[in-house]
């Protein structure tokens, strides 16, 4: 492992990200940075490099909670402390692993001392270590919900509260929150998203010379980290001095009424929720002025701050990527041109790197950040598009309901243009019956590592969650026989009990969507896509994995392999073509195979099959019979299924109902799918599968 971290000033390009991190170094009150980008774009390298240029902090000697000696926390568990000079140490960067336990994050009772010495002692967690430092979460979008809740509480109150196993502790916990994520692996909860002060989209450079310089520097670093770091030591020291100077100047920066009006107007026009956006933008604009060595906030400071603080806060439709309309932003700011103060010259121009490498414009780059989604972001999903105004027979004619299926394309798959999805709506929740043990989520009941405690049991393997009361109760009757004479409790391995907890799990929701000619009427297919989009939104909110199978023509296609990126499913759905025959059996058999493979990969995650069809089947001998047999295979595996009946028109064949009976799951129409139109749908799903289990 390299002995010296990669220097921040040696990183090529990525000016927007560098600037966002440095603004937080100047003013931690900005609230942290969320870094969105594809894999391999040096997100983690940049964050780890930041810690090396942050000024040292003064702490109370021996305090495990990093109290400030000039203003110690009066409620510090290691206190009370007397105000003094303290000792200096480097600013810590604490990493929170995605799979960390709740005890590791907030701290817990020191079990070893409690059992061996009979004393109640508190063992601090990562929130205590990160106080007055940086808390870094790699792949923050994969963080378990129970950890997200704890982070939200600490970020909101600036303190961590621990109430468990007879321990009641409160300690200060104010930290710079930095998270990285790959949007392909799923989005972030809105509550946590709003807690990040700034957000930046990063992507690998497409410029050949920049890529060459990146590789050249990385190879030089890997060959001799110490020598490479020494080469950039002067630039790193200059950066530290500039951060310190900006921090000293920050209290003297004036945020005038003109700048405040600009910020309020921008936030109001972009319809951001709440007032946090205004406050963060004001703090970021002030930090930008201090970073530039000025005492007045200019319109350009407001513009740069808005491009960093608003993209993830603006109100947007489900599955839209974060972004900001820069033309609209400039138009809003232009209304206040008369209020612009004269900017002061920059007293500290950026130093050049020793290599003079391309794209190395110094920390922050001095350029406005580029708003809008990066190339890695999922395409926007249009909402509420109007149906084509041209009557049938003009332009591209729309297929008619009940029109004959044609064989104009290879395999009998005549394609119709993709149809826009109707407006999504809130759907009723579908559960997988029974009690699972899958990944944490919000859909179905499950035994989980986190949740409410429902009992205790002997450990199965290594002890993970000690149930203290049950352990003491098991050991108490044997103390005299074991010869106890002191204060400590004599505990044997057979006495240990672990907690049994019940929470919610996320499921694999596999959509099987009929894209054949029988579904190709434009208004009807738009409604179908809107329904599937609504179910996708529900799956995103409940932390499910999703997959998408479509069938048309002569076969079925796995359009989206099971993934946590629900917005990728929305993008595939939007472009879904229609037309051709209806190979329903092929779609169901494809679903059976996908679920078989997923059970091998992730046996704890239970599937929920959602079949969106009118129930018709064509192509080959006895298509309906083959479809029923395929449905029987899924039912025999115990797959929980729901059929969304898309049949419309005055004449109804009821084929979707027959398919639902073969699958052993409920059948709902598009209208019944809406949460405000359905009553007791969850009970229907549960009761249906309960009868099957009996």
């Amino acid at each position: 492992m390299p002995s010296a971290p990669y220097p921040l000033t040696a990183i090529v390009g990525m000016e927007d990200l560098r600037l966002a991190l440095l603004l937080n170094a100047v003013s931690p009150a900005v609230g942290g940075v969320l870094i969105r980008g594809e894999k391999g774009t040096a997100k983690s390298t940049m964050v780890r490099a930041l810690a090396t240029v942050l000024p040292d902090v003064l702490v109370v000697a021996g305090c495990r909670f990093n109290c400030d000696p000039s203003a110690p926390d009066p409620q510090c568990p290691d206190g009370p402390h007397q105000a003094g000079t303290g000792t200096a140490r480097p600013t810590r960067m604490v990493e929170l692993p995605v799979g960390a336990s709740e005890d590791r994050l907030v701290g817990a009772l020191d079990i070893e001392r409690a059992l061996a010495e009979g004393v109640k002692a508190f063992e601090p967690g990562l929130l205590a270590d990160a106080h007055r430092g940086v808390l870094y979460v790699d792949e923050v979008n994969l963080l378990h919900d129970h950890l997200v809740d704890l982070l939200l509480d600490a970020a909101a109150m600036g303190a961590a509260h621990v109430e468990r196993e007879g321990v009641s502790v409160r300690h200060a916990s104010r930290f710079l929150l930095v998270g990285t994520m790959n949007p392909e692996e799923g989005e972030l909860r809105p509550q946590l998203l709003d807690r990040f002060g700034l957000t930046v989209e990063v992507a690998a450079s497409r410029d050949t010379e920049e890529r060459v310089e990146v590789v050249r520097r990385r190879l030089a670093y890997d060959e001799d980290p110490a020598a490479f770091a020494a080469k950039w030591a002067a630039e790193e020291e200059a950066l530290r001095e500039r951060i310190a100077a900006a921090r000293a100047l920050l209290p003297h920066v004036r945020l005038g009424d003109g700048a405040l009006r600009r910020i309020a107007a921008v936030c109001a026009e972009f319809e951001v929720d709440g007032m946090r956006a205004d406050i963060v933008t004001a703090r970021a604009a002030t930090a930008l002025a201090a970073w530039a060595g000025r005492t007045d906030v200019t319109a350009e400071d407001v513009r740069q701050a808005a491009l960093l603080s608003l993209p993830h806060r603006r109100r947007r439709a489900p599955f839209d990527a974060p972004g900001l309309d820069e033309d609209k932003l400039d138009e809003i700011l232009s209304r206040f041109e008369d209020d612009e103060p004269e900017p002061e010259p920059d007293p500290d121009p950026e130093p050049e790197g020793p290599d003079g490498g391309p794209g190395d414009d110094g920390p922050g780059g001095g350029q406005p950040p580029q708003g809008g989604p990066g190339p890695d972001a999922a395409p926007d999903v249009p909402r509420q598009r109007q149906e084509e105004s041209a009557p049938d027979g003009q332009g591209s004619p729309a297929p008619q309901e009940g029109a004959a299926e044609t064989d104009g394309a290879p395999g009998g798959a005549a394609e119709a243009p993709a149809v826009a999805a109707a407006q999504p709506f809130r759907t009723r929740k579908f559960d997988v019956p029974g009690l699972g043990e899958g990944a944490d989520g919000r859909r179905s009941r499950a035994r989980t590592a986190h949740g409410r405690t429902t009992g205790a049991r002997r450990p199965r393997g290594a002890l993970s969650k000690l149930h203290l009361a049950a352990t003491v109760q098991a050991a108490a009757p044997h103390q005299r026989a074991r010869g106890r004479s002191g204060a400590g409790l004599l505990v044997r391995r057979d006495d240990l009990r672990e907690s049994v907890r019940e929470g919610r799990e996320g499921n694999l929701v596999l959509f099987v969507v009929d894209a054949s000619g029988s579904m190709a009427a434009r208004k009807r297919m738009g409604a179908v896509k809107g329904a599937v989009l609504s179910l996708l939104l529900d799956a995103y909110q409940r932390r499910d994995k999703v997959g998408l199978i479509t069938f048309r023509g002569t076969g079925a296609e796995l359009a989206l392999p099971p993934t946590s990126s629900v917005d990728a499913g929305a993008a595939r759905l939007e472009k879904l073509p229609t037309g051709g025959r209806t190979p329903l059996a092929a779609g169901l058999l494809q679903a059976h195979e996908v679920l078989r493979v997923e059970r091998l990969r992730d046996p704890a995650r239970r599937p929920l099959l959602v079949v969106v069809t009118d129930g018709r089947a064509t192509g080959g001998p006895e298509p309906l019979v083959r479809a029923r047999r395929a449905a029987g295979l899924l039912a025999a595996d115990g797959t929980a299924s729901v059929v969304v009946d898309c049949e419309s028109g005055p004449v109804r064949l009821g084929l979707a109902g027959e398919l639902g009976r073969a699958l052993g799951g409920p059948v709902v129409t598009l209208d019944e799918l809406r949460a405000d139109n359905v009553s007791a749908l969850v009970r229907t799903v549960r009761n249906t599968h309960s009868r099957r289990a009996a």
Side-chain angles (χ1 to χ4, degrees):
M1 183 176 179
S3 57
Y6 197 93
L8 180 63
T9 51
I11 295 176
V12 178
M14 298 178 53
E15 288 83 6
D16 296 352
L17 175 55
R18 195 192 324 255
L19 179 61
L21 291 171
L22 291 174
L23 291 181
N24 278 274
V26 172
S27 176
V30 168
V33 186
L34 174 65
I35 308 165
R36 296 165 47 93
E38 58 198 14
K39 54 186 178 292
T41 49
K43 301 187 296 292
S44 299
T45 301
M46 182 76 91
V47 175
R48 293 187 175 98
L50 172 69
T52 64
V53 298
L54 293 175
D56 290 349
V57 295
L58 292 175
V59 297
V60 174
C63 178
R64 297 175 298 166
F65 299 88
N66 304 303
C67 280
D68 184 351
S70 63
D73 180 8
Q75 300 183 46
C76 176
D78 285 355
H81 304 300
Q82 297 297 324
T85 56
T87 59
R89 64 159 177 77
T91 299
R92 286 178 181 168
M93 190 188 73
V94 178
E95 294 195 40
L96 172 60
V98 170
S101 67
E102 185 176 335
D103 291 347
R104 184 70 187 98
L105 179 61
V106 299
L109 177 70
D110 190 330
I111 298 297
E112 182 177 350
R113 293 189 62 189
L115 296 180
E117 303 174 23
V119 298
K120 186 165 60 177
F122 179 70
E123 184 176 2
L126 295 178
L127 290 180
D129 293 340
H131 179 45
R132 304 176 64 214
V134 180
L135 182 62
Y136 171 48
V137 189
D138 194 15
E139 305 295 347
V140 64
N141 52 323
L142 304 182
L143 200 64
H144 291 307
D145 279 350
H146 70 286
L147 297 182
V148 171
D149 293 337
L150 294 170
L151 274 182
L152 288 172
D153 289 343
M157 298 183 293
H161 293 260
V162 183
E163 301 282 348
R164 54 174 55 190
E165 286 113 7
V167 174
S168 179
V169 172
R170 178 263 179 210
H171 64 84
S173 183
R174 291 181 294 275
F175 46 81
L176 175 62
L177 181 61
V178 180
T180 58
M181 60 174 285
N182 183 348
E184 295 177 354
E185 297 173 338
E187 286 294 339
L188 201 60
R189 276 177 57 180
Q191 295 92 335
L192 183 57
L193 186 65
D194 190 49
R195 283 292 171 187
F196 286 96
L198 310 178
T199 185
V200 179
E201 296 273 352
V202 296
S205 172
R206 298 297 181 253
D207 181 83
T208 302
E209 292 304 318
E210 281 197 11
R211 296 175 74 96
V212 167
E213 187 62 23
V214 169
V215 175
R216 181 183 291 122
R217 294 186 186 184
R218 184 68 207 192
L219 292 178
Y221 172 74
D222 290 341
E223 183 177 348
D224 191 342
F228 187 83
K231 186 177 181 179
W232 290 87
E235 283 68 28
E236 293 284 284
E237 184 59 31
L239 183 58
R240 290 188 195 94
E241 292 176 357
R242 186 173 177 186
I243 293 173
R247 281 189 174 186
L249 182 62
L250 185 65
H252 306 288
V253 175
R254 186 178 68 89
L255 185 66
D257 289 343
L260 281 173
R261 283 196 295 271
R262 288 186 178 92
I263 291 169
V266 167
C267 294
E269 294 267 357
F270 281 104
E271 298 182 339
V272 296
D273 293 325
M275 295 298 298
R276 185 174 287 118
D278 303 62
I279 296 170
V280 170
T281 306
R283 288 172 175 166
T286 305
L288 276 163
W291 178 248
R294 289 183 272 100
T295 56
D296 283 305
V297 174
T298 65
E300 185 59 29
D301 294 332
V302 174
R303 183 181 189 276
Q304 292 190 57
L307 287 172
L308 290 169
S309 62
L310 298 187
H312 61 303
R313 290 189 170 91
R314 68 175 178 85
R315 189 173 298 170
R316 49 196 171 101
F319 309 118
D320 282 357
L324 209 63
D325 186 340
E326 293 192 46
D327 292 336
K328 180 178 178 180
L329 176 62
D330 292 335
E331 188 273 327
I332 298 169
L333 293 175
S334 67
R335 304 173 194 166
F336 300 89
E337 288 180 352
D338 294 340
D339 299 334
E340 176 68 15
E342 288 294 328
E344 299 178 9
D346 186 355
D348 187 13
E350 300 285 351
E352 292 184 1
D355 288 348
D360 185 28
D361 295 330
Q367 300 295 325
Q370 301 300 312
D376 59 296
D380 284 358
V381 180
R383 300 288 176 267
Q384 292 180 308
R385 289 185 189 164
Q386 298 296 322
E387 296 293 334
E388 293 184 1
S389 57
D392 293 342
Q394 298 181 15
S396 245
Q400 299 299 312
E401 180 73 33
E405 298 170 4
T406 62
D407 298 336
E415 259 188 38
V419 181
Q423 178 73 6
F425 51 84
R426 188 170 65 90
T427 67
R428 273 287 187 175
K429 186 180 76 167
F430 296 90
D431 281 5
V432 176
L435 195 64
E437 295 183 349
D440 288 348
R442 298 181 181 177
R443 183 171 297 278
S444 305
R445 294 175 57 237
R447 296 185 186 92
T448 61
H450 316 281
R452 63 186 182 91
T453 301
T454 58
R457 67 185 178 192
R458 293 181 183 274
R460 299 177 180 177
L463 177 66
S464 57
K465 294 285 183 181
L466 179 73
H467 194 296
L468 184 60
T471 299
V472 172
Q473 187 176 10
H478 309 293
Q479 297 305 295
R480 181 175 295 178
R482 292 173 183 173
R484 173 183 168 182
S485 59
L489 188 70
L490 297 179
V491 179
R492 303 287 185 261
R493 172 170 288 276
D494 289 344
D495 300 328
L496 297 178
R497 298 292 184 270
E498 67 179 5
S499 299
V500 177
R501 301 189 178 188
E502 183 175 311
R504 293 277 172 180
E505 68 176 358
N507 300 118
L508 167 59
V509 181
L510 182 61
F511 295 93
V512 180
V513 180
D514 185 347
S516 65
S518 68
M519 303 280 287
R522 297 190 69 80
K523 288 185 178 180
R524 183 177 170 198
M525 196 62 200
V528 169
K529 284 189 176 183
V532 178
L533 196 64
S534 303
L535 291 166
L536 280 168
L537 178 60
D538 179 71
Y540 160 67
Q541 293 170 338
R542 300 188 189 282
R543 295 296 181 266
D544 296 317
K545 287 180 70 174
V546 298
L548 177 63
I549 293 173
T550 63
F551 58 93
R552 56 184 288 273
T554 59
E557 174 190 4
L558 181 59
L560 181 71
T563 176
S564 296
S565 180
V566 181
D567 53 350
R572 301 286 176 88
L573 179 71
E574 185 69 20
K575 300 176 182 178
L576 178 65
T578 59
R581 295 175 179 170
T582 313
L584 176 57
L588 297 175
L589 290 173
Q590 179 78 9
H592 183 268
E593 177 61 18
V594 169
L595 295 180
R596 183 189 68 81
V597 173
E598 285 301 309
R599 285 190 184 98
L600 297 176
R601 291 176 177 169
D602 191 358
R605 189 180 289 269
R606 298 185 296 163
L608 174 64
L609 183 68
V610 179
V611 185
V612 184
T613 181
D614 57 8
R616 300 182 185 181
T618 60
E622 298 184 322
L624 284 174
V625 173
R626 288 188 290 110
R628 301 297 176 267
R629 289 174 181 169
L633 288 176
L634 290 162
D637 288 340
T639 302
S641 305
V642 176
V643 176
V644 180
D645 184 1
C646 303
E647 190 173 28
S648 62
V651 179
R652 295 176 178 267
L653 303 178
L655 297 176
E658 295 180 13
L659 177 62
R661 286 189 288 275
L663 287 169
V667 180
V668 296
T669 65
L670 289 176
D671 289 337
E672 292 172 339
L673 191 62
R674 293 179 179 270
D676 52 0
N677 291 348
V678 185
S679 60
L681 183 57
V682 175
R683 289 197 299 274
T684 301
V685 178
R686 290 174 176 167
N687 293 341
T688 301
H689 287 278
S690 298
R691 288 195 298 270
R692 286 174 52 197

